[in-house]
Amino acid sequence: MKVDSHQHFWRLADREGQWPPASLQAIYRDFGPEDLAPHLQATGIDATVLVQSLPSIDDTRWMLALAERTPWVRGVVGWVDFKAADAAAQIDALAHHPLLKGLRPMLQDLPEDNWIDDPACSPAAEAMQRHGLVFDALVLPRQLPALCRFAARHPRLNLVIDHAAKPLIARGELEPWRNDIAALAALPQVHCKLSGLLTEAGERRDAAALSPYAQALWTLFGPRRLLWGSDWPVLRLAADYADWWQLAHQLARQFHPVPQPDDLQALFGGNAARLYRLASTT
């Protein structure tokens, strides 16, 4: 099963005052299943994970309803305020929906880099563990140390780093990103998405620019904890869907050690299906 582990849908009517701004014309419109379906068909992708893009329970419920009527959306990553007094109860209620596979608190948008490194988040993390939900970490490089402390505090909580923590590819900087992400990779429950790299690359949108970062992820996470994702439609700011699909395969063919066929199957589908417990296509 080929899986896109990270895609979004949204309605501008729900996003007043929220990103994206009108200046980003390529993504400043509604996006739904009918827009993504042709790209999935062209690349042979069987299933997707729909990820939240608004800090809203209502948005999470909307995504779950949309997933119910979209057969190839096999999982949803929603949102809960981790520090709300009733966060655990909210998670318990949402987790009754079989398509809810994870939660994402959008840490990159929070003013405190250490926000997640707080015992106040523990009840929410423990509720996620009870239900087998995945913690999607939307972070920037400067937030990786705090995320590492959070992950170490909750060793039974599966965690995946979205977009490889958005390394500073446009500036060609590997450190301290590589060192900080290595500390997270040393924790066996931590995974990483090979996604979002092109939109961090500025004008350097080619294999030569991305290769040092992709190779670092392959070296650190190996063939069973790395997941391919499109980050569509945000991807439209940098490339077409098929372009990123093909470039990701080009990067993978250049990895050292060289991936075996089952490694590639894991990277482009199997790992996401296992981590998010996605239903089979058959």
Side-chain angles (χ1 to χ4, degrees), residues 77-118:
V77 175
W79 177 91
V80 163
D81 179 356
F82 265 54
K83 294 185 181 178
D86 63 342
Q90 291 185 50
I91 293 169
D92 288 340
L94 286 170
H96 286 300
H97 198 296
L99 288 174
L100 186 79
K101 304 299 184 179
L103 295 170
R104 185 171 85 146
M106 301 187 79
L107 301 178
Q108 73 167 18
D109 296 331
L110 300 177
E112 301 174 28
D113 287 350
N114 293 327
W115 188 93
I116 195 62
D117 181 26
D118 184 343

Side-chain angles (χ1 to χ4, degrees), residues 51-94:
V51 180
Q52 65 80 232
S53 59
L54 279 179
S56 161
I57 291 285
D58 287 341
D59 180 65
T60 298
R61 295 192 180 107
W62 172 75
M63 289 191 300
L64 288 168
L66 193 58
E68 287 176 351
R69 56 182 188 268
T70 309
W72 40 262
V73 175
R74 301 294 169 80
V76 169
V77 175
W79 177 91
V80 163
D81 179 356
F82 265 54
K83 294 185 181 178
D86 63 342
Q90 291 185 50
I91 293 169
D92 288 340
L94 286 170

